[in-house]
Each structure stands twice: as structure tokens, then as C-alpha cells.
Amino acid sequence: FPFLRGGRGRAAADGDEPLPAGGDEPLPSEHSICDPDEPTLAFIGFVRPNVGAIPPMAELQSMWWIQRLRGKTLGPRVDSSRYRLTGCKLAYGVDYGNYMFALANEIGCRPDLLRWIVERPSVAVAAAFGQAHAPLFRLDGPFATADASDVVATELLEPIKLRGLMNVVFFGNLCFFAAVNALATLVEWTLAPLARTKHV
């Protein structure tokens, strides 16, 4: 859209050079959705995931943009290096899950697993072991809907049940590394005071 910018980050003006043919103009700086200089213009569905579909990403991008326009995004902006694909031929390639959860964190719609473990464990299991599908981001937060938990507990849980043995392997790995992390934390807590007293 060369009529929007004449150069990096400024509006097009008379006498500006046209954009080079065949090159991609970079997407806006805020999660590749909008630019701080033009927040009312959004580029929805332009990023490309490594896996996953564009429509759920576009839905969450729309939710994020609405909250951005309302001035209701939360906390510090997640750095794009956490979800950008490295070594990708596309400058706008992103890791699907990391990108979705980065947007969800900023608008307060990341699923609250502790709440769902208590209220409806099947929802918590689907959220923890499934993909980052759009209904997960309608469980909590400003865009929560009453039927999202039913969709997650049925439609999103079903593929997880069909994995069978793979779930056991994955859960076993999860438990093993959780135990290793807990042990490392315990050792660190035990040795840290000793190291401080040794240097004194």
C-alpha cells in the first residue's frame, strides 16, 4: 500500500519514491497488526504461521486490535522475537502457538487453567494438551462466551482422546521434567544461602 507510507513510518507525500517492485514492505511494528502512528488501520491475517491456520490467528488479531483501540491492552508488549520464525524466507512468519498466546496475554484472554481444573477438568486438559484454537481464548477475558467451555470440552478434547498412547508418553515427559525442575529449584534454594555466607 504505497499510498499509506512514503518511507519508513511516515505518511506518503508528493515527490516520494515508489516502493521497490517485488519487495515486501514490512508489516506494522505492533505484532504485525498495526503501527503506533496509524493504530486505526489494522493488517489482519497477514502473518503466516509455521503450523496452524490463518483464520483463528485473524480472529485473535481482531480481538487484540479491538482492545488496542479501546486502550485496554495489558502489561508490557511481548517482544516479537519470542514468536518470530528465524531462518524463514518470509519476514512475517510466526510460531503459531507463541504468537497466539502473546496476543492473548496482552488482552487478558489466556485460559485460566487453575480455574478450569476446579470448575471443569476436561476444559483444562483440552487447553493444556491441545492446540491454540480460537475457542480457548473465549473461555476467559473480555471476549468470553457462555458456550466456549462446551466447545473446548467436546470438540477440542476429542482429538486429544484419540491420541491414546501418545498422551501417556507426553504426560510422562511432562511429569519427568517437572520433577527435574522441582529438584533443581530445591537444590538452588538450599545452596544459595550457603554460597552467600561463604563469600562473607
Side-chain angles (χ1 to χ4, degrees), residues 144-165:
T145 60
D147 63 340
S149 61
D150 290 332
V151 171
V152 172
T154 55
E155 293 177 36
L156 298 188
L157 185 62
E158 193 58 36
I160 295 167
K161 289 180 181 176
L162 294 175
R163 289 185 205 150
L165 181 61

Side-chain angles (χ1 to χ4, degrees), residues 178-192:
V180 168
N181 281 320
L183 181 61
T185 302
L186 183 62
V187 168
E188 182 180 6
W189 286 348
T190 305
L191 296 179

Side-chain angles (χ1 to χ4, degrees), residues 8-68:
R8 269 195 115 104
R10 62 186 181 81
D14 289 336
D16 279 338
E17 292 293 320
L19 293 173
D24 283 339
E25 179 74 1
L27 287 173
S29 60
E30 295 185 4
H31 297 305
S32 300
I33 299 172
C34 67
D35 194 284
D37 295 334
E38 187 61 64
T40 59
L41 175 68
F43 290 76
I44 305 294
F46 279 73
V47 295
R48 293 295 174 258
N50 55 343
V51 295
I54 295 168
M57 291 178 75
E59 181 177 342
L60 196 56
Q61 286 178 321
S62 300
M63 292 160 63
W64 180 90
W65 183 53
I66 289 168
Q67 290 300 91
R68 167 74 169 79

